Amino acid sequence: MLPNNVVRERVRRSFKVVCLVLFTITGCTQSDEPPCTNPVNKSRADSASCVVVNQGNVLVVTLLGGSVGFPEDSPNGRESALCAAERAVWSQAGLSVQASSLLAKFDDGTHFYQCKVLSGSDLDVKKQMGIVDVRWVPMSQLRNLRWQDYQESSLILARIAKN
């Protein structure tokens, strides 16, 4: 008899193969995630975040524990930081965005990009581990929120206020 961990690994691999075959046969993809708007960008970071401003409102995510932050994720494989920032917004809020200027790089390896919504502003909140909610907050109310990282958010808020 095989140990449980070996059985689980074989089942997991078999499931992946079956899914891949089904996706290939049907022509389906795993998501309708929009492509990166600047795939030639080669920026590297440990994590990347999009600061999305739309009609005087800023997109924020509420994290488990009640603090807030900007949509953020780590690059997948060889993905650039810019592409990861755009993907974070799609995967957490269902919005297609374009990252433009780099607002800040921090010592913890996070890059923050200014991002604009490409179409619509209706949120399709995708529940992810650690994220409770995603919402638009008027710029005038941003300083009243309990930010996950106060120093980073203060700098970012000051930079977007200038724009």
Side-chain angles (χ1 to χ4, degrees):
M1 183 168 201
L2 295 171
N4 283 342
N5 61 337
V6 173
V7 171
R8 276 194 298 269
E9 180 61 25
R10 287 184 180 176
V11 168
R12 187 180 66 76
R13 281 190 207 157
S14 297
F15 181 75
K16 282 183 170 183
V17 169
V18 168
C19 287
L20 181 61
V21 168
L22 285 174
F23 288 135
T24 303
I25 291 171
T26 63
C28 294
T29 58
Q30 287 182 296
S31 78
D32 52 351
E33 179 180 308
C36 181
T37 62
N38 187 355
V40 297
N41 180 288
K42 301 294 183 211
S43 59
R44 293 279 161 231
D46 292 333
S47 66
S49 186
C50 252
V51 181
V52 186
V53 180
N54 191 42
Q55 299 178 357
N57 297 304
V58 178
L59 187 66
V60 297
V61 297
T62 303
L63 306 167
L64 204 58
S67 63
V68 298
F70 299 105
E72 182 176 339
D73 208 342
S74 297
N76 292 330
R78 299 180 71 171
E79 180 183 43
S80 71
L82 183 140
C83 293
E86 291 178 354
R87 183 177 45 76
V89 176
W90 174 258
S91 66
Q92 296 168 15
L95 289 176
S96 180
V97 298
Q98 179 178 20
S100 55
S101 61
L102 180 64
L103 291 170
K105 291 181 188 181
F106 290 100
D107 291 341
D108 67 359
T110 305
H111 289 194
F112 284 82
Y113 291 90
Q114 178 80 44
C115 299
K116 70 176 182 174
V117 177
L118 293 178
S119 62
S121 62
D122 293 337
L123 302 177
D124 178 13
V125 179
K126 320 252 185 197
K127 296 293 183 188
Q128 290 187 338
M129 185 183 300
I131 296 177
V132 177
D133 192 26
V134 180
R135 67 186 192 275
W136 292 108
V137 175
M139 287 189 76
S140 61
Q141 296 177 14
L142 292 174
R143 297 227 180 255
N144 300 332
L145 301 176
R146 185 167 61 94
W147 290 91
Q148 178 185 26
D149 188 311
Y150 178 77
Q151 289 180 324
E152 285 183 1
S153 63
S154 292
L155 176 66
I156 298 301
L157 295 177
R159 291 198 177 162
I160 63 173
K162 291 179 184 178
N163 295 342

